[in-house]
Amino acid sequence: ARTLASSTRGKVVCVVQIVVLLVVLLPAVTPPASVWLAAFGLAALSYSFAVDTSWLWLHRRQEGVL
């Protein structure tokens, strides 16, 4: 199986996800702000997964994997 190289994008999304989850848990952050923050965190994470999955898909034949 092919492994992904570490990227700045992945690291940034990781930090964003952690910060968003911690902020959303604060009692002072109530809906709708908490909902929008959680949606932003999910969108960032989904984007990162989509980019990584796309890269793996495009480079699958180099390893002989179909």
XYZ file of all heavy atoms in Angstrom:
502
model
N 0.846 -1.191 0.000
C 0.000 0.000 0.000
C 0.884 1.244 0.000
O 1.911 1.283 0.667
C -0.901 0.008 1.216
N 0.446 2.214 -0.718
C 1.208 3.465 -0.826
C 0.922 4.327 0.399
O -0.210 4.417 0.869
C 0.802 4.189 -2.088
C 1.619 5.408 -2.344
C 1.829 5.575 -3.816
N 2.634 6.760 -4.017
C 3.687 6.771 -4.786
N 4.048 5.696 -5.408
N 4.379 7.873 -4.948
N 1.940 4.993 0.898
C 1.750 5.893 2.037
C 1.784 7.332 1.566
O 2.415 7.662 0.565
C 2.847 5.677 3.104
O 4.110 5.897 2.495
C 2.800 4.268 3.656
N 1.099 8.172 2.314
C 1.072 9.595 1.992
C 2.242 10.300 2.652
O 2.608 9.997 3.795
C -0.221 10.226 2.514
C -1.494 9.835 1.789
C -2.700 10.309 2.564
C -1.506 10.399 0.403
N 2.799 11.243 1.953
C 3.841 12.077 2.533
C 3.189 13.086 3.480
O 2.045 13.501 3.276
C 4.604 12.807 1.434
N 3.890 13.455 4.496
C 3.392 14.474 5.414
C 3.291 15.802 4.674
O 4.164 16.150 3.882
C 4.361 14.603 6.591
O 3.886 15.537 7.512
N 2.198 16.534 4.924
C 2.018 17.803 4.226
C 1.645 18.905 5.220
O 1.079 18.640 6.281
C 0.921 17.686 3.169
O -0.337 17.522 3.779
N 1.951 20.117 4.822
C 1.575 21.266 5.651
C 0.063 21.362 5.749
O -0.480 21.665 6.804
C 2.163 22.562 5.064
O 3.578 22.416 4.966
C 1.826 23.758 5.925
N -0.630 21.081 4.628
C -2.092 21.118 4.642
C -2.655 20.160 5.682
O -3.528 20.515 6.462
C -2.655 20.756 3.251
C -4.169 20.777 3.217
C -4.780 20.100 2.026
N -4.555 18.869 1.547
C -3.882 17.712 1.847
N -3.278 17.560 2.545
N -3.748 16.622 1.384
N -2.151 18.955 5.715
C -2.626 17.971 6.677
C -2.379 18.397 8.114
O -3.236 18.215 8.986
N -1.220 18.981 8.350
C -0.896 19.441 9.695
C -1.790 20.607 10.124
O -2.253 20.658 11.260
C 0.573 19.852 9.769
C 1.507 18.678 9.632
C 2.961 19.124 9.576
C 3.873 17.945 9.336
N 5.272 18.331 9.228
N -2.025 21.524 9.190
C -2.888 22.678 9.491
C -4.309 22.215 9.778
O -4.945 22.664 10.733
C -2.858 23.707 8.341
C -3.946 24.751 8.499
C -1.496 24.360 8.263
N -4.813 21.300 8.951
C -6.173 20.793 9.160
C -6.279 20.065 10.498
O -7.288 20.183 11.195
C -6.614 19.897 7.981
C -7.895 19.154 8.298
C -6.781 20.723 6.726
N -5.256 19.345 10.883
C -5.247 18.668 12.187
C -5.357 19.670 13.325
O -6.166 19.495 14.236
C -3.972 17.841 12.321
S -3.839 16.991 13.898
N -4.558 20.716 13.260
C -4.602 21.741 14.315
C -5.958 22.447 14.323
O -6.548 22.670 15.384
C -3.447 22.751 14.134
C -3.603 23.935 15.071
C -2.114 22.067 14.346
N -6.478 22.770 13.136
C -7.788 23.417 13.039
C -8.855 22.526 13.656
O -9.710 22.991 14.422
C -8.136 23.749 11.567
C -9.605 24.098 11.404
C -7.261 24.887 11.063
N -8.819 21.243 13.350
C -9.811 20.304 13.876
C -9.755 20.245 15.399
O -10.792 20.277 16.064
C -9.562 18.922 13.274
C -10.617 17.911 13.584
C -11.927 18.207 12.904
O -11.984 18.869 11.896
N -12.995 17.725 13.464
N -8.579 20.173 15.964
C -8.431 20.116 17.420
C -8.952 21.397 18.062
O -9.708 21.356 19.044
C -6.960 19.859 17.806
C -6.564 18.440 17.398
C -6.729 20.085 19.295
C -5.086 18.158 17.474
N -8.556 22.538 17.523
C -8.997 23.824 18.072
C -10.510 23.967 17.980
O -11.165 24.363 18.950
C -8.281 25.004 17.376
C -8.894 26.326 17.772
C -6.795 24.976 17.699
N -11.075 23.631 16.823
C -12.527 23.747 16.646
C -13.260 22.862 17.654
O -14.221 23.297 18.286
C -12.936 23.403 15.198
C -14.425 23.160 15.080
C -12.513 24.514 14.258
N -12.819 21.624 17.803
C -13.490 20.727 18.738
C -13.398 21.227 20.177
O -14.360 21.127 20.945
C -12.920 19.314 18.616
C -13.265 18.577 17.323
C -12.485 17.267 17.229
C -14.762 18.319 17.225
N -12.251 21.776 20.540
C -12.108 22.312 21.900
C -12.971 23.555 22.103
O -13.595 23.719 23.150
C -10.641 22.622 22.190
C -9.734 21.406 22.352
C -8.271 21.840 22.473
C -10.141 20.586 23.554
N -13.022 24.427 21.122
C -13.822 25.653 21.240
C -15.307 25.325 21.303
O -16.056 25.902 22.096
C -13.516 26.619 20.066
C -14.510 27.770 20.019
C -12.100 27.149 20.191
N -15.746 24.371 20.485
C -17.168 24.000 20.466
C -17.607 23.435 21.815
O -18.770 23.579 22.205
C -17.428 22.988 19.321
C -18.783 22.343 19.431
C -17.309 23.691 17.979
N -16.699 22.837 22.552
C -17.037 22.275 23.861
C -17.162 23.320 24.964
O -17.678 23.021 26.036
C -15.995 21.231 24.269
C -16.040 19.921 23.493
C -14.850 19.046 23.874
C -17.348 19.189 23.753
N -16.686 24.522 24.701
C -16.773 25.574 25.718
C -18.234 25.949 25.976
O -19.006 26.123 25.029
C -15.999 26.817 25.277
C -14.488 26.687 25.185
C -13.893 27.939 24.550
C -13.896 26.430 26.547
N -18.625 26.101 27.248
C -20.008 26.453 27.560
C -20.431 27.808 26.980
O -21.605 28.018 26.685
C -20.039 26.508 29.091
C -18.870 25.720 29.536
C -17.842 25.834 28.454
N -19.485 28.706 26.792
C -19.813 30.037 26.273
C -20.145 30.020 24.783
O -20.748 30.959 24.269
C -18.651 30.989 26.527
N -19.771 28.964 24.093
C -20.028 28.871 22.658
C -21.319 28.073 22.466
O -21.358 26.870 22.664
C -18.866 28.198 21.913
C -19.137 28.146 20.431
C -17.565 28.924 22.192
N -22.362 28.783 22.096
C -23.681 28.159 21.964
C -24.136 28.196 20.512
O -23.603 28.943 19.696
C -24.709 28.904 22.837
O -24.752 30.270 22.428
C -24.342 28.838 24.312
N -25.132 27.398 20.193
C -25.680 27.464 18.835
C -26.202 28.858 18.555
O -26.671 29.511 19.480
C -26.824 26.444 18.859
C -26.474 25.504 19.969
C -25.742 26.334 20.986
N -26.122 29.353 17.365
C -25.665 28.681 16.140
C -24.165 28.745 15.925
O -23.661 28.114 15.001
C -26.404 29.433 15.050
C -26.532 30.826 15.579
C -26.713 30.656 17.073
N -23.423 29.479 16.756
C -21.973 29.592 16.557
C -21.294 28.225 16.639
O -20.419 27.907 15.826
C -21.369 30.542 17.579
N -21.687 27.407 17.583
C -21.069 26.085 17.722
C -21.352 25.209 16.511
O -20.496 24.439 16.077
C -21.554 25.406 19.007
O -22.958 25.224 18.974
N -22.538 25.337 15.958
C -22.894 24.548 14.771
C -22.041 24.976 13.579
O -21.521 24.131 12.835
C -24.397 24.690 14.456
C -24.735 24.016 13.136
C -25.230 24.123 15.584
N -21.890 26.276 13.386
C -21.079 26.775 12.270
C -19.615 26.399 12.439
O -18.948 26.038 11.462
C -21.230 28.289 12.121
C -22.518 28.664 11.477
C -23.614 29.208 12.078
C -22.872 28.486 10.103
N -24.613 29.387 11.169
C -24.195 28.951 9.937
C -22.203 27.986 9.001
C -24.851 28.921 8.716
C -22.864 27.955 7.778
C -24.172 28.424 7.643
N -19.116 26.466 13.652
C -17.722 26.070 13.891
C -17.524 24.580 13.608
O -16.541 24.185 12.967
C -17.319 26.385 15.329
C -17.000 27.837 15.620
C -16.875 28.062 17.137
C -15.712 28.237 14.929
N -18.448 23.757 14.087
C -18.345 22.317 13.845
C -18.436 22.015 12.349
O -17.707 21.157 11.840
C -19.445 21.578 14.612
N -19.310 22.722 11.646
C -19.437 22.520 10.201
C -18.149 22.918 9.480
O -17.713 22.241 8.537
C -20.613 23.321 9.658
N -17.532 24.004 9.914
C -16.264 24.430 9.331
C -15.185 23.377 9.560
O -14.420 23.037 8.645
C -15.831 25.774 9.924
C -14.450 26.177 9.504
C -14.204 26.634 8.227
C -13.387 26.078 10.396
C -12.918 27.001 7.836
C -12.102 26.436 10.013
C -11.879 26.897 8.729
N -15.108 22.845 10.782
C -14.131 21.802 11.078
C -14.356 20.558 10.235
O -13.410 19.963 9.716
N -15.618 20.176 10.071
C -15.942 19.018 9.250
C -15.594 19.268 7.788
O -15.073 18.386 7.101
C -17.420 18.672 9.394
C -17.925 17.492 8.571
C -17.184 16.216 8.956
C -19.420 17.325 8.761
N -15.861 20.466 7.300
C -15.538 20.803 5.910
C -14.026 20.759 5.679
O -13.565 20.237 4.651
C -16.090 22.180 5.559
N -13.251 21.285 6.620
C -11.791 21.262 6.483
C -11.271 19.829 6.487
O -10.409 19.461 5.675
C -11.146 22.065 7.617
N -11.805 19.008 7.377
C -11.388 17.613 7.448
C -11.788 16.857 6.182
O -10.992 16.088 5.628
C -12.005 16.947 8.675
C -11.546 15.536 9.005
C -10.052 15.513 9.281
C -12.324 15.012 10.196
N -12.990 17.092 5.691
C -13.465 16.436 4.471
C -12.614 16.840 3.273
O -12.273 15.998 2.426
C -14.927 16.795 4.210
O -15.739 16.313 5.259
N -12.274 18.107 3.185
C -11.410 18.591 2.099
C -10.057 17.882 2.141
O -9.554 17.414 1.112
C -11.228 20.107 2.208
C -10.127 20.633 1.335
C -10.302 20.745 -0.045
C -8.895 20.996 1.871
C -9.282 21.212 -0.854
C -7.878 21.454 1.068
C -8.069 21.565 -0.292
O -7.050 22.020 -1.086
N -9.477 17.781 3.320
C -8.171 17.148 3.452
C -8.235 15.677 3.039
O -7.360 15.186 2.317
C -7.678 17.277 4.890
O -6.397 16.704 5.030
N -9.269 14.972 3.486
C -9.426 13.575 3.097
C -9.633 13.444 1.591
O -9.109 12.528 0.963
C -10.596 12.922 3.839
C -10.231 12.443 5.221
C -10.981 12.841 6.307
C -9.162 11.591 5.436
C -10.656 12.406 7.582
C -8.832 11.156 6.704
C -9.585 11.562 7.789
N -10.404 14.350 1.011
C -10.665 14.301 -0.430
C -9.374 14.509 -1.229
O -9.131 13.809 -2.223
C -11.702 15.348 -0.821
N -8.554 15.454 -0.804
C -7.284 15.708 -1.500
C -6.369 14.485 -1.392
O -5.771 14.050 -2.384
C -6.594 16.971 -0.941
C -5.182 17.102 -1.483
C -7.413 18.206 -1.266
N -6.268 13.913 -0.196
C -5.405 12.743 -0.010
C -5.919 11.541 -0.795
O -5.139 10.816 -1.418
C -5.307 12.391 1.477
C -4.478 13.385 2.257
O -3.739 14.175 1.633
O -4.568 13.383 3.499
N -7.222 11.323 -0.775
C -7.804 10.210 -1.514
C -7.597 10.387 -3.010
O -7.267 9.431 -3.726
C -9.310 10.083 -1.194
O -9.465 9.914 0.214
C -9.931 8.911 -1.917
N -7.762 11.604 -3.482
C -7.542 11.899 -4.901
C -6.094 11.624 -5.283
O -5.815 11.016 -6.332
C -7.905 13.351 -5.187
O -7.585 13.698 -6.490
N -5.161 12.042 -4.465
C -3.747 11.809 -4.747
C -3.447 10.310 -4.802
O -2.759 9.843 -5.709
C -2.877 12.485 -3.688
C -1.428 12.421 -4.021
C -0.708 13.313 -4.756
C -0.508 11.369 -3.665
N 0.589 12.888 -4.868
C 0.742 11.698 -4.204
C -0.633 10.197 -2.927
C 1.858 10.895 -4.048
C 0.487 9.395 -2.777
C 1.708 9.749 -3.326
N -3.975 9.569 -3.829
C -3.759 8.125 -3.824
C -4.369 7.474 -5.063
O -3.784 6.568 -5.656
C -4.363 7.505 -2.556
C -3.587 7.764 -1.266
C -4.400 7.308 -0.067
C -2.236 7.077 -1.298
N -5.546 7.922 -5.455
C -6.205 7.362 -6.635
C -5.395 7.637 -7.911
O -5.228 6.756 -8.747
C -7.616 7.938 -6.756
C -8.364 7.377 -7.928
C -8.526 7.952 -9.149
C -9.028 6.119 -7.995
N -9.260 7.140 -9.965
C -9.577 6.000 -9.283
C -9.213 5.083 -7.088
C -10.299 4.891 -9.686
C -9.930 3.974 -7.494
C -10.462 3.887 -8.769
N -4.903 8.852 -8.042
C -4.153 9.220 -9.234
C -2.806 8.504 -9.330
O -2.274 8.306 -10.419
C -3.943 10.732 -9.281
C -5.206 11.562 -9.510
C -4.895 13.049 -9.349
C -5.800 11.277 -10.865
N -2.240 8.120 -8.203
C -0.917 7.496 -8.186
C -0.985 5.988 -7.933
O 0.034 5.361 -7.667
C -0.034 8.174 -7.138
C 0.287 9.582 -7.483
N -0.519 10.629 -7.119
C 1.309 10.123 -8.190
C -0.001 11.755 -7.578
N 1.100 11.475 -8.238
N -2.132 5.391 -8.038
C -2.286 3.969 -7.727
C -1.568 3.065 -8.724
O -1.074 2.022 -8.369
C -3.757 3.592 -7.633
C -4.481 3.561 -8.961
C -5.977 3.431 -8.795
N -6.645 3.341 -10.089
C -6.902 4.351 -10.895
N -6.529 5.554 -10.546
N -7.517 4.163 -12.043
N -1.494 3.451 -9.983
C -0.891 2.587 -11.008
C 0.627 2.553 -10.912
O 1.252 1.632 -11.407
C -1.330 3.029 -12.384
C -2.804 2.844 -12.599
C -3.160 2.951 -14.064
N -4.586 2.972 -14.236
C -5.331 1.879 -14.410
N -4.757 0.715 -14.398
N -6.636 1.978 -14.592
N 1.222 3.523 -10.283
C 2.682 3.534 -10.157
C 3.173 2.387 -9.284
O 4.286 1.933 -9.411
C 3.149 4.875 -9.576
C 2.939 6.012 -10.529
C 3.335 7.346 -9.924
O 3.762 7.416 -8.789
N 3.175 8.419 -10.684
N 2.309 1.921 -8.387
C 2.675 0.818 -7.512
C 2.192 -0.521 -8.064
O 2.403 -1.547 -7.451
C 2.050 1.041 -6.124
C 2.622 2.217 -5.375
C 3.989 1.914 -4.792
O 4.225 0.768 -4.380
O 4.825 2.833 -4.741
N 1.466 -0.491 -9.189
C 0.930 -1.714 -9.744
C -0.379 -2.136 -9.099
O -0.832 -3.240 -9.283
N -0.983 -1.260 -8.327
C -2.255 -1.548 -7.657
C -3.379 -1.018 -8.523
O -3.340 0.109 -8.990
C -2.305 -0.874 -6.260
C -3.663 -1.117 -5.613
C -1.182 -1.387 -5.400
N -4.387 -1.819 -8.769
C -5.517 -1.369 -9.576
C -6.583 -0.817 -8.735
O -7.152 -0.869 -7.919
C -6.045 -2.499 -10.454
C -5.031 -2.985 -11.487
C -5.599 -4.171 -12.245
C -4.676 -1.886 -12.465
